[in-house]
Amino acid sequence: MSRLPIRIRLTLPFAVVMAAVLAAMGIVLYLRVGSALLANVDQNLDTQVAEATSHAHEGRSQLLDRDVSSGPTVAQVQLADGTVVESSPAGLRAIVPAALRAAAVQGMHVRTTTDLNGLRGDWRTIAVPIQVHGRAGVLLIARSLAAREETLDRLGREFLLAAPAALLLAILAGYGLAAAALRPVEAMRRRAAAVTAESPGTRLPVPPAHDEIAALAVTLNDMLDRLEAAFEHERRFVADASHELRTPLALLRAELELALRRPRTRDEYADAIRSAAEETERLSRLAEDLLLIARGDEGRLPIRREELNGHELLDRVRLRFAVRAQELQRPLTVVDGADVTFEADPARLEQALGNLVDNAFVHASGAVALSARRTNGVVELHVTDAGPGVPEGFADRAFDRFSRPDDARERGGAGLGLAIVDLIAKAHGGGARLTPAPGGGADAYIVIPAD
């Protein structure tokens, strides 16, 4: 069944059900018609029995009407010993079965379908007790069921001819309905076959009916929106990464070409090598950042949790940047976090906090404060500076990859530092935020679940 086309798979159960319905209808109709015809025969027999009984009570010698013999009806009056008193048509030998005669003589009205002695086919009979000249007897009236059987045979033949034709029409109608129901799916398939990377914005047609197929089309269009956004995000990522890699490579090449252009002194060669080493270090950091982001996208960023104290974690970050802070004459202090404990990966959090401190040194001014607090079941690790604050419209995209303020390219940096902060925070089940600091400047912080 799974290898058959879906239209046939939809039509076959419909055909089986229709065949069962037609068969059930035919059987019911056959039985109802047969029962109605038999009831009509019984009604005629009851009428004739009433007339014969009435004649007996009136003392008539002729118990049966002469017209009883017209049509497929016979009648006979017998005594208890089986002697035939009267028959219609005349001359019939004893046709009353002994069992019926005995039951009727005992006062029972017996109605049955049976065959009669010397007569063909099945007969509907009724036997009733009757007094014949003061003696117990039996009145039997029987009507042939040949007409009923002929009617039922004709009905059966007609049904056997009409039912297959009706079933075939129902199957064709079912197949047509299945094809019509699947026409929107075929339209969606053709449109989906035309969707390529070179045709952005192409969407599947949504049927006007609010049914499952329309819901499928809407769901697939939403999926195409997400895929297109992901492709565009990756395209921008590749373009930005290429731009960022090109800049230090170009500087490195220029430094090397300039050093080789003419003979230089030992100090000049040392300066050229030192500059090349700085650009190489920048390339190395950029490659490591790109690798970290790629691992995070694949869901493989390892997190090794252990019990941490907020003040101790922030102090390690402060010591790491102490020399740089002294060179820049930018105070770097830990102001809070002694009573904050939580479980997290210390190496990853130090990397994220280091990126926030580095970002504050590059893009802000004044003192930088590190703090940790625990509120509403989460731990917040803050890096607050006293610089010019958050540029307008930048907070919403600050943690996007290669996202930087308008003047950031002049100050250097690949724009990956904050993206890595957000990646590490999400790996811990939290996120990263950038808001204006209460006293001026910017407040960048990491939020991670406390439990």
Side-chain angles (χ1 to χ4, degrees):
M1 286 292 291
S2 61
R3 297 182 179 182
L4 295 176
I6 189 172
R7 296 181 184 181
I8 296 180
R9 280 187 283 161
L10 291 175
T11 305
L12 281 180
F14 177 75
V16 172
V17 171
M18 283 301 302
V21 170
L22 288 174
M25 289 179 59
I27 294 173
V28 171
L29 180 62
Y30 186 89
L31 295 177
R32 291 293 298 274
V33 170
S35 177
L37 293 176
L38 191 62
N40 185 61
V41 172
D42 288 341
Q43 185 178 6
N44 290 333
L45 291 177
D46 289 338
T47 301
Q48 292 169 352
V49 167
E51 291 179 355
T53 304
S54 176
H55 291 174
H57 291 165
E58 292 173 0
R60 296 184 186 183
S61 59
Q62 181 178 332
L63 300 177
L64 303 178
D65 291 338
R66 293 295 92 189
D67 59 359
V68 166
S69 62
S70 63
T73 305
V74 297
Q76 192 171 77
V77 177
Q78 291 184 4
L79 297 178
D81 58 3
T83 303
V84 177
V85 178
E86 185 175 354
S87 293
S88 180
L92 283 178
R93 63 180 181 176
I95 61 174
V96 182
L100 290 180
R101 186 173 63 250
V105 169
Q106 294 176 5
M108 300 175 61
H109 287 64
V110 182
R111 190 190 308 270
T112 185
T113 299
T114 184
D115 54 349
L116 300 178
N117 298 329
L119 300 178
R120 294 181 179 179
D122 292 333
W123 293 77
R124 186 67 171 174
T125 62
I126 182 171
V128 298
I130 191 173
Q131 293 293 320
V132 181
H133 306 300
R135 300 176 62 185
V138 177
L139 169 63
L140 174 74
I141 299 180
R143 189 173 183 88
S144 175
L145 296 179
R148 173 178 177 269
E149 293 174 354
E150 181 181 357
T151 301
L152 292 177
D153 289 342
R154 185 170 63 251
L155 177 63
R157 290 193 300 270
E158 291 176 353
F159 181 79
L160 290 177
L161 293 175
L167 180 61
L168 179 61
L169 290 176
I171 291 174
L172 294 177
Y175 186 85
L177 288 175
L182 293 174
R183 194 173 295 118
V185 178
E186 176 62 18
M188 292 162 56
R189 185 199 64 80
R190 290 195 299 267
R191 184 70 63 83
V195 174
T196 63
E198 289 73 25
S199 58
T202 303
R203 295 295 180 267
L204 305 183
V206 179
H210 299 288
D211 54 9
E212 290 79 3
I213 296 180
L216 174 63
V218 172
T219 302
L220 292 178
N221 283 336
D222 292 341
M223 180 188 69
L224 289 175
D225 290 337
R226 294 192 299 271
L227 289 176
E228 190 172 301
F231 290 152
E232 178 62 22
H233 184 271
E234 293 301 321
R235 187 194 64 79
R236 291 197 307 268
F237 179 77
V238 172
D240 289 337
S242 300
H243 173 79
E244 296 299 334
L245 288 171
R246 185 171 60 247
T247 301
L249 285 174
L251 292 175
L252 180 59
R253 180 179 179 180
E255 291 286 350
L256 295 176
E257 289 179 350
L258 185 61
L260 296 174
R261 184 168 299 174
R262 60 179 177 80
R264 297 179 180 274
T265 64
R266 180 184 179 88
D267 292 338
E268 290 176 333
Y269 278 123
D271 291 339
I273 293 173
R274 187 179 300 105
S275 178
E278 292 176 357
E279 296 302 329
T280 303
E281 177 64 22
R282 181 181 174 189
L283 281 172
S284 178
R285 289 197 305 270
L286 179 58
E288 290 177 358
D289 290 345
L290 292 173
L291 179 60
L292 182 64
I293 288 177
R295 294 176 65 185
D297 289 342
E298 295 175 0
R300 297 189 295 108
L301 187 63
I303 298 297
R304 299 177 177 86
R305 298 179 182 270
E306 60 182 70
E307 187 75 19
L308 299 178
N309 178 273
H311 187 276
E312 294 176 357
L313 174 67
L314 297 176
D315 194 57
R316 287 198 298 268
V317 176
R318 181 190 64 80
L319 293 175
R320 176 181 164 190
F321 286 88
V323 175
R324 184 176 175 185
Q326 186 175 3
E327 292 176 350
L328 296 174
Q329 297 183 353
R330 301 274 302 278
L332 177 61
T333 58
V334 178
V335 298
D336 197 4
D339 58 345
V340 178
T341 58
F342 56 96
E343 289 189 355
D345 188 325
R348 295 299 183 190
L349 285 186
E350 287 183 27
Q351 181 182 8
L353 291 170
N355 287 357
L356 293 179
V357 173
D358 181 74
N359 186 75
F361 282 158
V362 173
H363 300 291
S365 59
V368 178
L370 307 179
S371 62
R373 65 176 69 104
R374 181 169 181 154
T375 57
N376 299 324
V378 298
V379 171
E380 298 179 0
L381 303 174
H382 292 257
V383 176
T384 308
D385 63 62
V390 182
E392 184 177 357
F394 179 65
D396 295 335
R397 56 185 178 87
F399 296 95
D400 293 342
R401 300 170 188 180
F402 299 103
S403 178
R404 292 168 293 186
D406 295 338
D407 61 344
R409 293 189 184 273
E410 299 178 0
R411 301 184 184 184
L416 288 176
L418 294 184
I420 291 175
V421 171
D422 187 58
L423 177 64
I424 293 174
K426 289 180 178 177
H428 283 82
R433 308 286 187 272
L434 178 63
T435 60
D443 181 15
Y445 58 98
I446 300 170
V447 179
I448 60 175
D451 300 322

